[in-house]
Amino acid sequence: MINNVVLVGRLTRDPELRYTANGAAVATFSLAVNRNFTNQSGEREADFINCVIWRKPAETLANYARKGTLLGVTGRIQTRNYENQQGQKVYVTEVVAENFQLLESRNASERRGADTGFSGNQSTTFNNNQTQTSQPSNGMPNFDRDTSDPFGSSSIDISDDDLPF
């Protein structure tokens, strides 16, 4: 069976970091993820997805991510249930994050918080090799395919005899 989740969205609130009785760190957070289509009035809607992350990544997330941070998350979906104080059974579905990646630089995040809108066009993706990626001015990553000509408009002279089929 396959249970893989990949999400890109913005934190709806600061991550809540807690520790279990045995000292394991656990952070809960919610991601706002835009849908790929618009509703009847032409507006783009979002899903608000509850997530949980454990141990060292939980502490790192709590230290570096704040409300509004653009975040990439990989993990799995988990359902669980418990009995609340009124004796009712409560079912919870959440994403258990195994890995996350900050998808904008701290400067861009701080600018977005200070401005009414995102104005930068470059962001740093924090990972092991700290590379930079460019983004359009609306702050969302550009996942569209590159439509430019890969051969630079040069012609390739190939005869039918050169083709293997």
Side-chain angles (χ1 to χ4, degrees):
M1 305 297 163
I2 298 173
N3 183 359
N4 283 332
V5 174
V6 178
L7 300 171
V8 174
R10 293 198 181 272
L11 286 174
T12 61
R13 63 182 189 277
D14 289 353
E16 296 176 19
L17 180 65
R18 294 185 307 255
Y19 291 89
T20 65
N22 2 348
V26 58
T28 56
F29 59 97
S30 178
L31 274 183
V33 179
N34 285 340
R35 294 183 179 171
N36 291 333
F37 53 88
T38 57
N39 62 17
Q40 290 179 341
S41 61
E43 297 170 351
R44 192 170 298 276
E45 295 179 351
D47 293 304
F48 299 90
I49 300 169
N50 293 323
C51 303
V52 61
I53 191 165
W54 291 85
R55 297 176 192 79
K56 184 65 176 167
E59 293 174 331
T60 305
L61 179 70
N63 287 334
Y64 291 103
R66 296 286 173 258
K67 177 181 177 180
T69 299
L70 185 63
L71 198 66
V73 173
T74 58
R76 61 185 170 83
I77 291 181
Q78 172 180 285
T79 49
R80 59 184 173 88
N81 61 62
Y82 63 92
E83 212 169 280
N84 67 10
Q85 294 175 344
Q86 291 79 25
Q88 299 168 321
K89 202 171 216 181
V90 178
Y91 293 89
V92 178
T93 301
E94 60 197 357
V95 171
V96 177
E98 296 165 359
N99 193 8
F100 77 91
Q101 194 167 21
L102 300 173
L103 298 178
E104 65 184 356
S105 69
R106 181 176 292 203
N107 290 340
S109 181
E110 289 171 355
R111 265 195 317 249
R112 184 183 29 73
D115 296 343
T116 57
F118 181 78
S119 60
N121 61 2
Q122 285 283 332
S123 75
T124 304
T125 300
F126 292 98
N127 55 21
N128 291 338
N129 56 5
Q130 292 194 346
T131 59
Q132 282 198 344
T133 58
S134 68
Q135 294 182 351
S137 61
N138 66 359
M140 297 302 295
N142 182 5
F143 293 118
D144 294 338
R145 291 189 178 262
D146 186 12
T147 57
S148 63
D149 184 6
F151 300 108
S153 299
S154 64
S155 64
I156 300 176
D157 185 27
I158 298 177
S159 70
D160 287 342
D161 296 335
D162 293 335
L163 298 176
F165 45 89

